[in-house]
């Protein structure tokens, strides 16, 4: 068996650690690692990049740009790169790493030299919105509101420390200036032309995520029904191993942690036909399909590795 060489630049962070855990027992991958005291050494990083088939960047945006610049200076442009930061998610020349985005996207990821791993919130919102925009059910300029709640593990070291110390609030809204770093990516890859109102929040649980989008059906062209919306989503994701459209079957509550530790993404369409209202909901692990699980899925595509093993690892 040919072993592919992977370097995780930033493996000490939350996403990097989980990617490493998913890869270290695979027989088809060799992990290139740097001694802890040399992780910020440009020479050591350059050597690791030069030795890798694919580099996975789990770094802040500026550090990710520095790593890409290092790679660009190597013979042949260095290794293929999978970037988990927000630096390149709408950049020209980069392929967006949501393989379920369209029928062609998985093949685009397979052949790309530069892949941007999606953000956690956009993964849920794009999965709900893009098929409906493509189908003409939701106009690209329709006013959209997106509400989302995440576990605190997505908030970085200081937030994680505050929650683990018991000093953080039980729940809080944030980004109330109606700006968030995920918005450009969300707009671009959902196919929207009007920026949605996006209200993220964090709860006192480690990981898990719900993304919800309310709709007044009478404001949409063609007067779609709840069943029409569910059918459009089901048609888009038919046969997907990772994204499932789940019938609501009278369900009236939904908790965010059920998919923790997996790479699954569940989509539901709740509705009240008489009121002509619907609620689209995505559930995922913000550290799974929202981060490290998605990275392993993309990495398997890029390296042409066994998807069965990818399923077990992710």
């Amino acid at each position: 068996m040919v072993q592919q060489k992977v370097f995780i630049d930033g493996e000490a962070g939350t996403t990097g650690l989980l990617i490493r855990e998913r890869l270290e027992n695979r027989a088809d991958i060799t992990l290139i690692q740097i001694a802890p005291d040399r992780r910020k050494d440009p020479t050591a990083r350059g050597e690791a990049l030069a030795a890798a088939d694919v580099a996975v960047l789990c770094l802040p945006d500026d550090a990710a740009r520095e790593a890409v610049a290092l790679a660009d200076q190597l013979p042949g442009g260095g290794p293929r790169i999978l970037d988990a930061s927000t630096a390149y998610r709408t950049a020209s020349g980069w392929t967006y790493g949501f393989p379920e985005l369209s029928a062609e996207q998985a093949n685009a990821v397979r052949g790309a030299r530069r892949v941007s791993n999606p953000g956690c919130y956009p993964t849920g919102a794009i999965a709900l919105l893009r098929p409906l925009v493509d189908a003409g059910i939701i106009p690209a300029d329709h006013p959209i509101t997106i509400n989302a709640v995440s576990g605190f593990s997505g908030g970085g070291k200081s937030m994680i420390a505050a929650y683990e110390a018991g000093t953080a609030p039980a729940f809080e809204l944030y980004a109330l200036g109606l700006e968030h770093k995920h918005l450009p990516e969300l707009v671009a890859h959902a196919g929207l032309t009007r920026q949605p109102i996006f209200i993220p929040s964090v709860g006192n649980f480690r990981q898990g995520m719900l993304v919800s989008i309310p709709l007044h059906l009478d404001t949409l062209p063609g007067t779609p029904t709840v069943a029409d919306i569910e059918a459009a989503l089901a048609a888009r994701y038919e046969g997907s191993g990772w994204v499932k459209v789940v019938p609501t079957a009278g369900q009236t509550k939904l908790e965010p942690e059920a998919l923790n530790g997996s790479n699954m993404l569940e989509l539901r369409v709740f509705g009240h036909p008489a009121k002509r209202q619907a609620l689209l909901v995505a559930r995922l692990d913000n550290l799974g399909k929202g981060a490290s699980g998605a990275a392993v899925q993309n990495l398997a595509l890029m390296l042409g590795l066994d998807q069965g093993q990818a399923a077990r690892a992710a």
Side-chain angles (χ1 to χ4, degrees):
M1 177 184 295
V2 176
Q3 289 189 320
Q4 305 278 1
K5 292 173 288 186
V6 175
F7 169 48
I8 305 170
D9 196 357
E11 68 170 20
T14 302
T15 299
L17 283 170
L18 289 174
I19 293 172
R20 188 182 72 189
E21 287 178 8
R22 286 161 165 80
L23 297 180
E24 59 188 0
N25 293 321
R26 290 187 62 136
D28 50 6
I29 283 178
T30 297
L31 290 176
I32 297 170
Q33 294 181 283
I34 297 175
D37 61 346
R38 298 193 69 200
R39 284 178 181 155
K40 295 184 179 181
D41 180 344
T43 300
R45 292 172 68 206
E47 291 170 352
L49 288 167
D53 294 303
V54 174
V56 183
L57 309 183
C58 301
L59 303 165
D61 287 6
D62 287 344
R65 294 186 183 98
E66 291 174 4
V68 171
L70 277 174
D72 285 343
Q73 295 170 15
L74 295 171
R80 299 170 74 187
I81 291 178
L82 173 61
D83 177 38
S85 79
T86 63
Y88 295 103
R89 290 177 183 163
T90 60
S92 176
W94 286 72
T95 298
Y96 192 58
F98 184 39
E100 298 86 0
L101 184 68
S102 68
E104 301 80 24
Q105 198 69 13
N107 279 334
V109 172
R110 283 189 184 95
R113 284 194 48 78
R114 301 287 188 263
V115 176
S116 57
N117 211 53
C120 51
Y121 290 126
T123 294
I126 291 166
L128 291 167
L129 290 169
R130 178 63 179 266
L132 303 180
V133 172
D134 286 350
I137 293 174
I138 294 179
D141 64 349
H142 190 72
I144 293 289
T145 297
I146 302 168
N147 301 291
V149 60
S150 175
F152 61 78
S153 57
K157 291 181 179 179
S158 61
M159 179 179 286
I160 292 171
Y163 273 96
E164 290 182 341
T167 59
F171 177 87
E172 61 182 335
L173 299 176
Y174 66 100
L176 294 178
L178 303 185
E179 290 287 348
H180 190 279
K181 64 180 182 178
H182 286 168
L183 272 167
E185 153 191 15
L186 198 160
V187 169
H189 299 296
L192 300 175
T193 58
R194 181 196 296 261
Q195 182 166 296
I197 296 174
F198 173 46
I199 306 298
S201 61
V202 61
N204 191 14
F205 53 97
R206 182 170 181 79
Q207 65 194 85
M209 175 171 285
L210 294 173
V211 179
S212 58
I213 302 173
L215 294 173
H216 289 275
L217 299 179
D218 286 342
T219 67
L220 299 174
T223 62
T225 65
V226 171
D228 292 333
I229 292 173
E230 185 175 283
L233 291 173
R236 170 61 66 89
Y237 299 113
E238 183 179 4
S240 171
W242 302 113
V243 183
K244 300 297 181 185
V245 179
V246 181
T248 57
Q251 190 174 17
T252 59
K253 295 181 180 180
L254 198 64
E255 56 89 9
E257 299 176 272
L259 298 179
N260 286 0
S262 83
N263 193 48
M264 294 302 300
L265 169 61
E266 292 179 349
L267 308 179
R268 289 172 172 82
V269 183
F270 297 90
H272 194 300
K275 292 183 177 180
R276 301 286 298 144
Q277 294 174 343
L279 180 68
L280 316 180
V281 182
R283 176 162 66 181
L284 65 155
D285 179 357
N286 61 294
L287 298 181
K289 185 62 169 164
S292 56
V296 172
Q297 180 186 357
N298 284 318
L299 190 64
L301 287 169
M302 294 171 75
L303 293 175
L305 301 181
D306 176 65
Q307 292 296 300
Q309 284 200 41
R312 291 188 292 275

